[in-house]
Amino acid sequence: MDQIKIIQKGSSRRNKSRMEIPCICFFTCFLVIFCLCGLFSAKSEGKENPAFPEAKPVVPEAKRMVLDILVPTKMLKNTAVLKSMMRVPRALFVPRDLRSFAYQDFALPIGESQTISPPFVVAYMTEQLDPRPTDKILEIGTGSGYQAAVLSPLVSEVYTIEIVRSLGLRADSLLKKMKYENVHCRVGDGYLGWPEAAPFDKIIVTCSPESVPKPLIDQLKEGGKILIPIGDRYQQYFYMITKKGSELVKETLIPAFFVPMTGKAEEERKKQPDPKNPELVGGNFEEHQEIRVWASGEKGDPVKVSSENESAGEKEDSEILAAESGKTQLVPNGWYYTRNVSVEQEPSAPEGNFVLVFDNLRIAEEHAQKEMEEERLRNQEKMLERGQSYLPRRTSFSQMSAGQKYHELTSHALQAFALDGLLVRKLNISCWIRGMDIVPYGHRQTMPVLTLTFFDKDRNSLGESIIVAVPAKDFGWKYFERKEIPVPRKAREGSIRIGVLDGVGQIAFDDIRLGKYGKKSSDKKPKKEVRKNSKEPSKEPSADTQGEDAKDHSESSSKDK
């Protein structure tokens, strides 16, 4: 029996080993297939998100632009977007003769009457689009390719269309050379979209039509979004449009100013600008709307930044990039690129019931207080023994650069208008201004508060003129007027900039009027009576490009793409 048992046991082992062979082969094959699937899955994931922002090297100038210029706006808080902008060399996307201005926050001409948008506009639009690694994006208006380059590491695929052939081919060549492999370029009319690649998760439009082109709506996925500047030629707003079945849910964002969408969209434009009769819109600030000024985050919550795979410097930058809680404010219709500005109701307004107030005084005072506190802490540390547990903690204000502090003080608003220097030789500008605690920068005795810039047909700046400068003191409502302002013959567009320019303080504006010299106006005088000693045109200092306080601010004049 024992022998039989032994034989049976051995037979069992042989049968078991025979069964193990196919099992091992099966599991080996399964393991190989699993690994291959993982490999293809990794490649697929790489295709969906080919290059997370950290994959490309940081460009020092771009990083400084983000930290010194974009972060102080306090309107950007998506750290992935800002990190992506740190890794795109904007200088390569602008003409060689303008590369010294590449990392400043204003638009630059790129030829064919087109411009590259200011970095803030690119960052704001990208953040509003809320890019996800699996998104397939359609961009209308390639331009130089800069916006597509910023989007590239944040999404799966970018399809971008440019109607100007020379610009489209140049951008395609540059993007390929820089290995943005998930960006696909096409020369064509963006109004028609890209039907073969549809549907798209999101569409971003970097030029302005009068209304949303229907082909773009048709090519959008259910639940997809379109970010687009819509409006008249010189008065536009960003709109976020969400497709929900047969309905389009529209959300109004901030004012904007972009070049028009040419081609079929421009042919269908019903309201055309009148370059013979330049004028401003919303100069009395009675028309306004409430907008949210924080760009993203549910209920304005700060973005949580992961510390994984981040060096000390990267982690520190991420903490700086995280924004504060969100809020809303009133902004005036017709004015764009507003910073540290608010529409406020005021019974003593020279015209109507509302005025526009620019105020960077509070920010300057906060800076001064923080500097005093940090100086106190430094002195206290010197008096305490090293290593004591109750040493006060340094605040983060000392980490801010001079550039960050300066750009936090930016307080202005802009508006562009149609103008033809061959038809309009001179302009008149008038306004009411009130000032408080005005401190000009440097050794100035006056501070510029209203400037005028002209642009040629290619949107090159013809220089900025200081039209109104106010004294360094407090004053009530005063009426300022400048007559016969010369217009360059090459001018084909104008832009007015108002605010606390090159200084600190609080400035309020009302009833700003601009018009062709000699044009009759039946409603020139302010409707409301103000203090008697303020009715006459002010004799306070003002300057043009020939004056002592004037300087060429052409590099700081900004107009969106």
Side-chain angles (χ1 to χ4, degrees):
M1 289 293 293
D2 293 338
Q3 188 177 4
I4 293 174
K5 288 181 180 179
I6 293 171
I7 293 173
Q8 287 178 343
K9 189 174 182 180
S11 175
S12 176
R13 286 177 179 176
R14 284 195 297 270
N15 291 336
K16 185 176 180 181
S17 63
R18 288 174 183 174
M19 293 179 64
E20 285 178 350
I21 293 173
C23 289
I24 292 172
C25 293
F26 173 80
F27 284 113
T28 302
C29 293
F30 176 82
L31 184 61
V32 171
I33 293 172
F34 179 82
C35 292
L36 289 174
C37 288
L39 178 62
F40 286 120
S41 175
K43 289 183 177 180
S44 175
E45 289 178 4
K47 185 178 180 182
E48 290 177 353
N49 193 10
F52 189 72
E54 276 80 349
K56 291 185 179 294
V58 170
V59 180
E61 297 86 354
K63 179 179 179 179
R64 185 50 50 202
M65 173 190 74
V66 169
L67 296 180
D68 281 3
I69 299 177
L70 301 187
V71 173
T73 67
K74 296 183 179 180
M75 292 179 67
L76 303 165
K77 57 191 298 185
N78 188 318
T79 56
V81 171
L82 294 175
K83 286 181 178 181
S84 179
M85 295 195 68
M86 287 182 181
R87 290 164 167 80
V88 179
R90 189 171 185 254
L92 298 183
F93 293 87
V94 304
R96 289 183 178 275
D97 58 334
L98 297 176
R99 287 183 177 176
S100 59
F101 305 108
Y103 298 100
Q104 298 300 314
D105 192 27
F106 47 82
L108 294 170
I110 57 175
E112 305 292 346
S113 299
Q114 303 298 306
T115 62
I116 179 175
S117 292
F120 168 78
V121 174
V122 174
Y124 177 82
M125 294 185 72
T126 306
E127 181 167 310
Q128 287 296 327
L129 204 64
D130 190 22
R132 302 297 175 89
T134 57
D135 282 345
K136 182 164 67 172
I137 306 292
L138 174 63
E139 180 196 17
I140 306 301
T142 311
S144 67
Y146 181 64
Q147 174 70 78
V150 172
L151 278 170
S152 172
L154 302 170
V155 300
S156 172
E157 304 286 339
V158 179
Y159 291 81
T160 179
I161 305 174
E162 173 57 52
I163 196 170
V164 181
R165 182 175 180 79
S166 60
L167 294 180
L169 294 177
R170 186 191 311 162
D172 185 29
S173 175
L174 178 59
L175 290 167
K176 286 179 178 177
K177 183 178 179 180
M178 299 178 70
K179 300 188 183 305
Y180 289 103
E181 298 176 357
N182 65 333
V183 178
H184 314 283
C185 300
R186 166 182 283 187
V187 175
D189 190 343
Y191 180 96
L192 305 175
W194 198 319
E196 308 92 280
F200 298 97
D201 296 285
K202 291 159 188 173
I203 299 176
I204 182 171
V205 183
T206 58
C207 48
S208 177
E210 196 170 43
S211 59
V212 185
K214 188 177 183 303
L216 299 185
I217 297 173
D218 295 338
Q219 294 173 31
L220 192 65
K221 282 184 179 180
E222 173 64 22
K225 296 183 177 183
I226 299 179
L227 178 62
I228 182 170
I230 302 175
D232 298 340
R233 175 63 189 90
Y234 292 97
Q235 285 80 43
Q236 307 152 12
Y237 276 87
F238 281 120
Y239 290 92
M240 182 66 76
I241 300 173
T242 304
K243 186 176 183 179
K244 293 186 176 180
S246 59
E247 296 184 356
L248 296 177
V249 179
K250 182 186 292 186
E251 179 186 6
T252 305
L253 304 178
I254 64 174
F257 175 54
F258 279 71
V259 298
M261 179 184 284
T262 55
K264 188 174 178 61
E266 189 65 13
E267 293 172 4
E268 294 182 352
R269 187 179 293 273
K270 297 178 181 178
K271 185 177 180 180
Q272 296 290 343
D274 183 6
K276 297 180 183 178
N277 296 295
E279 60 181 0
L280 297 178
V281 173
N284 59 5
F285 311 111
E286 297 302 301
E287 297 181 1
H288 47 265
Q289 62 179 302
E290 186 178 63
I291 65 167
R292 56 189 178 93
V293 294
W294 303 112
S296 71
E298 290 296 325
K299 299 180 181 179
D301 294 334
V303 172
K304 301 298 182 183
V305 182
S306 172
S307 60
E308 295 181 6
N309 300 322
E310 286 186 328
S311 64
E314 285 288 328
K315 184 178 180 181
E316 185 176 288
D317 293 340
S318 298
E319 292 172 351
I320 294 173
L321 294 179
E324 299 173 3
S325 59
K327 63 178 181 179
T328 60
Q329 70 178 38
L330 294 180
V331 296
N333 286 359
W335 300 84
Y336 68 96
Y337 227 49
T338 56
R339 300 279 178 81
N340 290 322
V341 57
S342 61
V343 176
E344 298 182 8
Q345 191 168 6
E346 185 170 315
S348 63
E351 170 70 17
N353 300 309
F354 292 89
V355 300
L356 190 64
V357 178
F358 299 85
D359 186 2
N360 61 4
L361 183 62
R362 176 186 56 81
I363 298 173
E365 291 174 348
E366 289 176 355
H367 283 188
Q369 290 175 359
K370 289 178 180 178
E371 287 173 351
M372 291 177 61
E373 176 63 15
E374 291 197 345
E375 180 64 25
R376 184 186 69 81
L377 293 178
R378 282 193 294 270
N379 292 336
Q380 187 175 357
E381 283 182 332
K382 293 177 182 178
M383 299 173 63
L384 294 173
E385 293 181 4
R386 189 173 182 178
Q388 288 181 317
S389 60
Y390 57 89
L391 280 174
R393 183 179 178 182
R394 290 279 184 91
T395 65
S396 61
F397 183 73
S398 61
Q399 299 174 5
M400 293 179 65
S401 68
Q404 282 180 284
K405 296 175 185 178
Y406 174 83
H407 284 93
E408 271 199 356
L409 295 173
T410 298
S411 183
H412 63 195
L414 292 89
Q415 184 174 153
F417 54 89
L419 177 73
D420 189 334
L422 296 176
L423 304 174
V424 179
R425 303 310 308 276
K426 296 179 181 179
L427 292 175
N428 286 349
I429 293 180
S430 65
C431 61
W432 287 84
I433 302 176
R434 183 191 64 209
M436 184 178 73
D437 296 325
I438 297 171
V439 181
Y441 288 154
H443 301 288
R444 291 174 179 263
Q445 298 300 313
T446 62
M447 182 178 72
V449 294
L450 189 154
T451 64
L452 188 63
T453 306
F454 299 105
F455 300 89
D456 65 15
K457 62 181 181 62
D458 295 320
R459 293 188 171 81
N460 292 301
S461 172
L462 299 176
E464 182 179 69
S465 301
I466 299 175
I467 303 303
V468 178
V470 298
K473 64 179 182 180
D474 296 358
F475 58 89
W477 287 108
K478 289 183 177 294
Y479 181 62
F480 289 78
E481 185 177 32
R482 284 293 307 278
K483 294 183 177 181
E484 301 185 59
I485 302 169
V487 177
R489 292 180 65 86
K490 292 183 178 181
R492 296 297 178 270
E493 193 172 88
S495 175
I496 185 172
R497 185 166 68 115
I498 58 175
V500 183
L501 313 178
D502 294 335
V504 174
Q506 185 189 93
I507 293 289
F509 280 85
D510 197 15
D511 197 25
I512 304 176
R513 306 193 186 201
L514 177 146
K516 182 178 180 180
Y517 173 69
K519 181 180 179 181
K520 295 181 180 180
S521 174
S522 59
D523 190 23
K524 183 66 179 175
K525 297 284 185 180
K527 292 179 180 179
K528 282 192 175 183
E529 291 293 326
V530 193
R531 296 183 343 187
K532 292 183 179 180
N533 62 351
S534 297
K535 285 186 180 180
E536 295 301 321
S538 173
K539 302 299 182 182
E540 301 293 351
S542 62
D544 55 19
T545 49
Q546 305 300 319
E548 179 181 354
D549 281 336
K551 64 178 180 179
D552 184 4
H553 292 278
S554 59
E555 69 274 10
S556 62
S557 300
S558 122
K559 68 185 172 65
D560 296 351
K561 186 171 178 178

